[in-house]
Amino acid sequence: SQQGEEDPQALSIQEGENATMNCSYKTSINNLQWYRQNSGRGLVHLILIRSNEREKHSGRLRVTLDTSKKSSSLLITASRAADTASYFCATTDRGSTLGRLYFGRGTQLTVWP
Amino acid sequence: NAGVTQTPKFRVLKTGQSMTLLCAQDMNHEYMYWYRQDPGMGLRLIHYSVGEGTTAKGEVPDGYNVSRLKKQNFLLGLESAAPSQTSVYFCASSSPKLIRGLYNEQFFGPGTRLTVL
């Protein structure tokens, strides 16, 4: 399977703490994306990092990519209760022109007030 | 703009019944996708389409058929529903671009929760 794997499966923290989620994948990639899913809703795109990038920031989000280890991490700083959601990584194979994504199983983040 | 919409939101079927899930997008996207989401399994691709009149199989296509007669619509059909098809179904669309590399964000609908008894 080309599906990625997130770690941990579940994470529970207090407001104000940082949350770190990891994603490992198996193939050579063109890019890696992170999505967020609130309970009972569809997925929403957060950030995309290309295979030639090592780090990217967007607001309170910081994403790193290590292609030699085939892994990525998503850091949410100063977390809020509203960040409670499931977070998924998704990869695009190198050479893909179809834009097809392969999703991981997700990390369930709970942020307590 | 409504983005990606899905109809219906919920449905309960009996084994052997058929139904069609409708997905519509108003972003003029070329590509459309149907996923299913099961607990602990993440999202798995059922079928996808790279343009009007074209469809292709994804990771778990068995028991499903699709059609893309209009660019904005992508239909997912279950001819004879089985309990194993109990799941949440998501439609997504995208318009991959080359902007300093491939940019292929997908936009998701709110999902259809299907129960097959």
Side-chain angles (χ1 to χ4, degrees):
Chain A
S1 169
Q2 293 166 280
Q3 195 174 38
E5 294 286 340
E6 283 94 341
D7 171 59
Q9 289 188 344
L11 180 61
S12 185
I13 60 174
Q14 295 289 132
E15 263 191 333
E17 294 180 340
N18 295 342
T20 299
M21 289 158 270
N22 303 296
C23 169
S24 60
Y25 57 90
K26 299 177 182 176
T27 62
S28 294
I29 62 170
N30 182 301
N31 64 56
L32 185 144
Q33 304 177 39
W34 285 91
Y35 286 78
R36 165 192 169 128
Q37 183 182 32
N38 287 84
S39 180
R41 310 290 285 272
L43 279 72
V44 175
H45 180 263
L46 294 175
I47 195 166
L48 179 151
I49 186 165
R50 304 186 197 284
S51 61
N52 61 353
E53 298 174 315
R54 292 297 167 257
E55 187 170 312
K56 205 160 182 181
H57 297 255
S58 177
R60 293 185 295 113
L61 304 180
R62 172 178 170 251
V63 171
T64 62
L65 179 64
D66 187 335
T67 53
S68 67
K69 294 182 179 178
K70 290 187 166 57
S71 68
S72 173
S73 67
L74 171 67
L75 169 67
I76 303 174
T77 60
S79 63
R80 306 165 182 167
D83 294 328
T84 294
S86 291
Y87 293 82
F88 295 87
C89 66
T91 57
T92 303
D93 284 349
R94 177 173 290 179
S96 171
T97 57
L98 298 178
R100 178 173 171 174
L101 297 179
Y102 295 90
F103 284 86
R105 300 171 194 268
T107 292
Q108 171 62 51
L109 172 66
T110 302
V111 182
W112 299 99
Chain B
N1 287 350
V4 180
T5 58
Q6 293 183 231
T7 308
K9 288 185 170 54
F10 302 93
R11 186 72 185 268
V12 178
L13 291 178
K14 294 181 180 177
T15 297
Q17 288 185 319
S18 64
M19 76 163 295
T20 301
L21 283 68
L22 172 63
C23 175
Q25 54 96 3
D26 61 3
M27 296 173 281
N28 202 35
H29 285 168
E30 288 295 328
Y31 294 7
M32 297 187 74
Y33 312 83
W34 275 108
Y35 295 93
R36 60 178 289 173
Q37 184 177 36
D38 302 293
M41 295 296 293
L43 271 76
R44 292 183 291 171
L45 183 65
I46 304 171
H47 286 280
Y48 63 99
S49 168
V50 299
E52 183 179 320
T54 70
T55 62
K57 294 180 180 180
E59 186 183 355
V60 287
D62 293 343
Y64 306 95
N65 56 75
V66 288
S67 64
R68 183 104 181 264
L69 299 179
K70 294 183 179 180
K71 185 177 184 179
Q72 63 268 33
N73 295 337
F74 195 27
L75 278 64
L76 178 71
L78 286 74
E79 291 185 345
S80 178
S84 60
Q85 294 178 303
T86 293
S87 188
V88 181
Y89 292 85
F90 288 98
C91 176
S93 70
S94 73
S95 187
K97 301 178 180 62
L98 285 176
I99 308 173
R100 301 190 311 276
L102 179 64
Y103 188 84
N104 56 334
E105 171 187 353
Q106 291 189 9
F107 296 79
F108 283 80
T112 294
R113 186 173 295 274
L114 175 67
T115 301
V116 182
L117 302 175

